[in-house]
Amino acid sequence: MLKITNLHASVGEKEILKGISLTVNAGEVHAIMGPNGSGKSTLAQVIAGHPGYEVTSGSIEYDGQDLLELEAEERAQAGVFLAFQYPIEIPGVTNAYFLRAAYNEIRKAHNQPELDPIEFLDVMEEKLTVVEMDASMMQRSVNAGFSGGEKKRNEILQMAVLEPKLAVLDETDSGLDIDALRIVAEGVNKLKRPDNATIVVTHYQRLLNYIVPDHVHVLAGGRIIKSGGKELALELEAKGYDWLLEPVTA
Amino acid sequence: MTPTATYSDQFAALAAPAGAPAWLPALRQQAFERFTTLGFPTTRNEDWHFTSVAPIAERPFKAIKPAATTLTASDLAPWILDPSWHRLVFVNGRFEPGLSQFSELPADVEVATLSDALRESPEWLSAHLGKLAAFDAAAFTALNTAFMQDGVMIHVPKGETVELPLQILCLADAQAQGAAFHPRLLVVAEAQSQISLIETFAAIGGAEYLVNAVAEVTVADGARVDHYKVQQESTDAYHVSAVQVTQGRDSIYHSFSFAAGAALSRANIYTKLLGTGSEARLNGLYVLDGTQHADHQTFVEHIAEACASRELYKGILDGSSHGVFNGKVYVDPEAQKTDGKQTNKALLLSEQARVDTKPQLEIFADDVKCTHGATVGRLDELPLFYLKSRGIGAETAKALLTYAFAAEVLETIENDPLRLALERTVFERFTHASFE
Ligand SMILES: Nc1ncnc2c1ncn2[C@@H]1O[C@H](COP(=O)(O)OP(=O)(O)O)[C@@H](O)[C@H]1O
Ligand SMILES: [Mg+2]
C-alpha cells in the first residue's frame, strides 16, 4: 500500500530525513518510535503533504501512485489521513461544518453524492459513539479552546468519519490519561480493516499495549536504525534508546 | 464652481418645513456658514490623511424631492431582519409610513420622524438636536446640519426597556442618481432605559449618490444602547457618517459597524465616557473588493474613572481596495482605573489591496490599563494545510478561513437575527455555497 524509498527531506537548508525506506502492506499496523527530534513528525507531515518540507530525493508510492505528485487534499481524497501531533485550532468554523465539508469533498472525489446536514447527522451520531464524544462538541469551533485530550479525540473522530485507507497517528497518545488513551486506541482498533493500514508514531510503549503493532521501527537522526516485531517496543521500554544509538561494531 | 458653491445655491433655495420652529433656520444658517468656511476636508487634515473625499467634493450632489415609492413590503424583505420588529423605512430619503411599523412601541417611548418631531415637540428637540454633534471642526456634520431633511428621533424615558429592536432602513434606488441625502438620528435613552437599534443602508440597483448621516446618542446613567449599522450601499455611492455618543454612570453603549458597500465610505464613531463605570464596545467588520475604500475612525474619550472600552475591528480586502482604521483613545487625567483595549486586524486577499491603520493613544492618567494591537496579513499556512489534509480543496479552504476570520468579530453581535444575517452574507460571499 505504501512504499517509501530512500526518502530525504529538509526544511530550508536543514536536512531532517536522511534516507528512509519503509513498506507498509494492507492490514498491517506499524509503530514508529524514537527519541524527540528524530524526525517522526516530519515523516508524518511529508506523507500528508505539508508544503513546508521539501523532499530532496527518494520516493513515496501509495496505492500504485506517486504520492509526492499529489496535493495534500488529493492525498486525503485518495485515503491518506494524518492525526496531527498538534491539531490546529480554527475559530469560526464549527466542527460539524468542517467534518461535513471534508466528508463531502472526499465523497465528491469518488463520484458519490454529497450528504446534506440532516443526512450527515446520522453518520456523525454513529462516529461520535466510537470516540465517546458528546454531540455538543460538534457545534464548537474546530479545536478552539479544546483540552489536549479533546483535540486528540477530535482527530480520531475525523479519522472515523473519513475512513482512511492509510492512517498516520502522530503521538495521538501523548498527553492522554489512561481513559482517553483506551478510547482512542479502541477507536483505532474498531476502524481497522483488512484493506487499510495504520502507522502509529509514539515514543511510549504504553499505547502499543492497546494497539498491537505488526512491525516496530526506531527512527533516530532522520534514519530508521532498527526494525523488529512488537517485542522491540518492550525492549525499548525496558532499555531506552541509548543502546541503539551507540556505534555498533559487528 | 468651487465644491462648496454647489451647495450654496441649494442652501439659498432651501425652504423651512411648514410649522418648523424659529431656531431651526438659525441652526441651519450657522452650520452652513461653518461648512463654507471649513470646506471639504483634504488629506492634509490629519483625520483624513488616508481618505481623499475629492470624489465627493467634485460631484454636484443635489437634494431631491423623490416621488412616493412604488416598492412594496416584499421588495424590502432582503433587509428586514425580523418582520416583528419596529421599523422606520426611508426610500431615497423620504419617509414611507406605509412600509414602516412602530405603533406597537411602549406608550411612553417616543419615536418620530424629524419633520413630525419639529411640529410636535420642538422644545424637546431644541434641547437635544445638534447638542452632541459639534460641527465647528467637522465639515460633513456641518453640511448635514444645514441640510438635514428627515430622520428619526427617539426618546426612551427613564427605566423603560424597549424589548424588540428598532430597525431604520434607508434604501436608495434609481431615483437616487446624483442625489445627496443628509439623514439624522437622535437617540436619548434616559436613566436605566434600554433600546437596540439597527440602521441599515442599502440600495436597489447601482445609483451614484451621497449619504451624509449624523447620529447623536445620549446614554444616561445605567442605560444601555445597542447600536448596529449595516452599510450595504450601492458600490457607486458615497457614504459618510458621524456618530457622537455621551455616556453616563454605569451605562453601556455597544456599537457594531458592518461596511460592505459604497465606492468610498467613512464612519466616525465617537463616544465620551462621562460617567464612572460606563462601558463602550465599538466593533466592526469591513469587507471590500474592486476599488472600494472604507475608513473607520473611532474615538473613545475616557473622562470619568473606572470606565472600560473595547474595540475590535476587522477588515477583509480583495482587489485593489483600501481600508483605513484609525482608533483614537484619550484618557483624561481624572480617568484613573481606565481599562481600554483596542484590536484591529486586516486580512489581505490580493497583492494590490492595502490597509492603513493608526492607533492613537493619549493617556494622561497613571493608573490605567490600555492596550492596542494591529495586524495586517494573509491567511496562515498551517490552518490551510490542516483543512487540505482533510480533503478540502485549496479554494474552499481559503474561503472557509476567510469566513472564519470574519466570524470572530461577527460573534460579538448579541442580536441573533442580525448576526446570522451577516454571517450568511459573508459566508456566501466567500464560499459561494449556501449557509446553514
Ligand atoms: N518546520 C521546521 N523548521 C525547522 N526545523 C524543523 C521543522 N520541523 C522540524 N524541524 C526539526 O527537525 C527535527 C525533527 O523534528 P520532528 O520531525 O518534529 O521530530 P519528532 O517528531 O521525532 O520529535 C528537529 O530537530 C526539529 O527541530
Ligand atoms: Mg513529533
Side-chain angles (χ1 to χ4, degrees), chain A residues 45 49-50 73 76-77 81-82 84 88 90-92 97-98 100 102 105 143 155 158, chain B residues 381-383 385-394 396 400-401 403-404 407 427 436:
Chain A
Q45 303 267 7
H50 191 298
E73 61 268 34
Q77 290 160 6
F81 179 89
L82 167 64
F84 282 53
I88 310 298
I90 307 182
Y97 188 88
F98 168 58
R100 190 167 66 85
E105 291 262 357
N143 294 326
E155 294 292 288
Q158 292 166 38
Chain B
E381 281 296 327
L382 226 57
F385 172 57
Y386 191 63
L387 293 178
K388 292 203 276 189
S389 78
R390 298 305 182 244
I392 298 174
T396 308
L400 267 180
L401 293 174
Y403 165 74
F427 186 87
E436 324 86 19

Side-chain angles (χ1 to χ4, degrees), chain A residues 218-233:
Chain A
V218 179
L219 190 61
R223 291 189 182 88
I224 290 179
I225 54 165
K226 193 168 177 64
S227 294
K230 61 177 184 274
E231 353 48 72
L232 178 56

Side-chain angles (χ1 to χ4, degrees), chain A residues 40-41 85 170-171:
Chain A
K40 303 184 296 295
S41 291
Q85 180 174 7
D170 189 2
E171 307 228 14

Side-chain angles (χ1 to χ4, degrees), chain A residues 30-145:
Chain A
H30 287 239
I32 296 181
M33 305 183 73
N36 265 328
S38 58
K40 303 184 296 295
S41 291
T42 302
L43 176 61
Q45 303 267 7
V46 167
I47 293 172
H50 191 298
Y53 298 92
E54 193 195 347
V55 173
T56 49
S57 68
S59 64
I60 306 181
E61 193 188 307
Y62 167 77
D63 244 7
Q65 304 173 73
D66 179 356
L67 192 70
L68 298 175
E69 281 296 307
L70 303 182
E71 294 292 328
E73 61 268 34
E74 295 168 327
R75 298 182 195 195
Q77 290 160 6
V80 175
F81 179 89
L82 167 64
F84 282 53
Q85 180 174 7
Y86 304 108
I88 310 298
E89 300 191 6
I90 307 182
V93 177
T94 63
N95 236 354
Y97 188 88
F98 168 58
L99 274 168
R100 190 167 66 85
Y103 184 79
N104 278 336
E105 291 262 357
I106 289 176
R107 285 178 68 90
K108 240 186 344 196
H110 294 101
N111 298 315
Q112 290 166 328
E114 298 181 39
L115 298 194
D116 69 26
I118 311 288
E119 295 166 325
F120 186 65
L121 222 56
D122 291 340
V123 175
M124 274 326 298
E125 231 163 77
E126 181 206 326
K127 304 299 183 183
L128 281 165
T129 59
V130 174
V131 289
E132 298 180 28
M133 227 160 100
D134 194 83
S136 67
M137 298 290 278
M138 297 307 290
Q139 292 319 314
R140 290 174 56 185
S141 285
V142 179
N143 294 326

Side-chain angles (χ1 to χ4, degrees), chain B residues 108-111 124 153-158 186-190:
Chain B
D108 53 350
V109 173
E110 293 165 62
V111 172
W124 182 82
M153 312 291 118
I154 300 169
H155 179 206
V156 189
K158 191 168 172 188
L186 173 64
V187 181
V188 178
E190 305 266 20

Side-chain angles (χ1 to χ4, degrees), chain B residues 119-416:
Chain B
R119 259 189 330 247
E120 289 158 13
S121 39
E123 275 103 77
W124 182 82
L125 210 53
S126 88
H128 293 100
L129 190 68
K131 297 301 182 221
L132 302 186
F135 53 70
D136 47 310
F140 282 103
T141 299
L143 191 62
N144 173 287
T145 308
F147 283 95
M148 56 186 163
Q149 304 132 299
D150 214 343
V152 181
M153 312 291 118
I154 300 169
H155 179 206
V156 189
K158 191 168 172 188
E160 185 71 70
T161 294
V162 182
E163 296 288 348
L164 288 178
L166 186 149
Q167 187 176 11
I168 301 168
L169 174 58
C170 296
L171 270 183
D173 65 15
Q175 272 200 77
Q177 180 61 34
F181 304 109
H182 303 278
R184 191 90 182 191
L185 172 64
L186 173 64
V187 181
V188 178
E190 305 266 20
Q192 322 299 335
S193 70
Q194 286 195 30
I195 188 164
S196 175
L197 302 167
I198 295 101
E199 289 186 87
T200 305
F201 294 88
I204 296 175
E208 186 181 291
Y209 55 89
L210 167 68
V211 170
N212 173 30
V214 171
E216 299 174 278
V217 182
T218 301
V219 192
D221 294 354
R224 170 169 180 165
V225 173
D226 288 331
H227 187 181
Y228 299 102
K229 181 177 154 189
V230 178
Q231 190 270 96
Q232 293 173 311
E233 303 280 17
S234 143
T235 49
D236 290 326
Y238 297 85
H239 182 103
V240 178
S241 70
V243 180
Q244 179 66 62
V245 185
T246 62
Q247 296 187 238
R249 175 182 288 261
D250 298 323
S251 66
I252 297 175
Y253 176 74
H254 284 183
S255 141
F256 194 98
S257 171
F258 177 78
L264 185 162
S265 70
R266 162 70 173 240
N268 285 3
I269 298 153
Y270 292 3
T271 185
K272 280 193 175 82
L273 301 167
L274 298 177
T276 311
S278 53
E279 178 200 310
R281 191 170 76 192
L282 312 181
N283 290 355
L285 172 69
Y286 55 92
V287 183
L288 308 177
D289 199 354
T291 55
Q292 283 183 294
H293 177 107
D295 178 349
H296 278 93
Q297 183 171 85
T298 62
F299 186 26
V300 182
E301 287 178 84
H302 282 267
I303 306 295
E305 269 192 18
C307 296
S309 60
R310 290 283 174 278
E311 294 184 67
L312 174 61
Y313 265 83
K314 289 194 147 189
I316 301 174
L317 299 98
D318 206 342
S320 56
S321 62
H322 185 190
V324 180
F325 177 80
N326 181 0
K328 300 200 281 186
V329 177
Y330 166 83
V331 181
D332 193 83
E334 302 293 313
Q336 300 296 356
K337 309 260 184 270
T338 286
D339 178 4
K341 184 170 186 208
Q342 180 187 104
T343 309
N344 84 84
K345 298 182 183 173
L347 175 61
L348 303 179
L349 299 178
S350 74
E351 293 296 327
Q352 295 79 31
R354 198 179 106 206
V355 167
D356 287 293
T357 160
K358 186 168 77 165
Q360 277 175 277
L361 277 69
E362 286 185 76
I363 300 172
F364 297 101
D366 44 30
D367 183 14
V368 302
K369 206 168 76 197
C370 275
T371 62
H372 69 91
T375 59
V376 178
R378 294 173 199 285
L379 289 172
D380 288 339
E381 281 296 327
L382 226 57
L384 272 176
F385 172 57
Y386 191 63
L387 293 178
K388 292 203 276 189
S389 78
R390 298 305 182 244
I392 298 174
E395 285 311 308
T396 308
K398 281 183 196 160
L400 267 180
L401 293 174
T402 303
Y403 165 74
F405 177 84
E408 186 202 10
V409 65
L410 292 175
E411 238 161 48
T412 66
I413 296 176
E414 289 171 48
N415 178 315
D416 289 343

